[in-house]
Amino acid sequence: MAFPKKKSRRIIVNNHQYRWMVKGDFYGVMLLIISEEYNGQKLFANFRHSINGEKSCMYDNPFIIEPELVKRTILFGLSKGYSPNQKGNDLNLGDLSQQLVLNLKN
């Protein structure tokens, strides 16, 4: 399954092309990642808006996914057994709001 090109973005990590897109709701965002080269496993991760502050929501102070976070999520997923070039069950990493600490000063 490929993501629609109009709604997804491309990223290259370790010479491998991926497509990613974000779906949001009131509490957070879900990051969806697939290989652009293979029809393999899909990778999912969640991030809460509240990482920006206790009372943040999608209207007040939304959490924005940037390419650097997508790259870090892919690398984290690979370390947890994500195989983008092999068929298998999708890998849902769950809520990564605490695992992937953001460094916004770089």
Side-chain angles (χ1 to χ4, degrees):
M1 174 193 109
F3 289 159
K5 290 192 178 186
K6 283 188 173 184
K7 295 183 180 184
S8 66
R9 297 183 67 187
R10 178 185 291 164
I11 189 168
I12 299 173
V13 177
N14 296 339
N15 295 319
H16 188 99
Q17 294 182 33
Y18 298 89
R19 281 231 168 257
W20 63 277
M21 61 189 293
V22 176
K23 294 189 177 206
D25 63 19
F26 187 78
Y27 299 104
V29 294
M30 176 180 272
L31 175 62
L32 303 94
I33 301 168
I34 62 169
S35 170
E36 191 170 51
E37 301 173 31
Y38 303 100
N39 187 16
Q41 223 178 8
K42 295 174 206 65
L43 182 65
F44 300 92
N46 298 305
F47 297 92
R48 292 180 309 227
H49 294 299
S50 62
I51 198 168
N52 289 333
E54 189 174 318
K55 302 235 183 221
S56 293
C57 70
M58 68 187 291
Y59 304 110
D60 177 32
N61 193 6
F63 182 78
I64 306 297
I65 301 284
E66 295 184 351
E68 180 61 28
L69 182 61
V70 175
K71 177 182 176 182
R72 292 175 59 203
T73 302
I74 291 169
L75 293 174
F76 184 74
L78 291 170
S79 75
K80 297 294 183 186
Y82 173 50
S83 299
N85 56 347
Q86 296 178 3
K87 289 199 181 273
N89 293 334
D90 299 340
L91 179 60
N92 189 337
L93 298 174
D95 183 5
L96 294 182
S97 299
Q98 300 300 318
Q99 284 88 344
L100 295 182
V101 179
L102 301 176
N103 183 0
L104 302 176
K105 295 181 181 180
N106 286 346

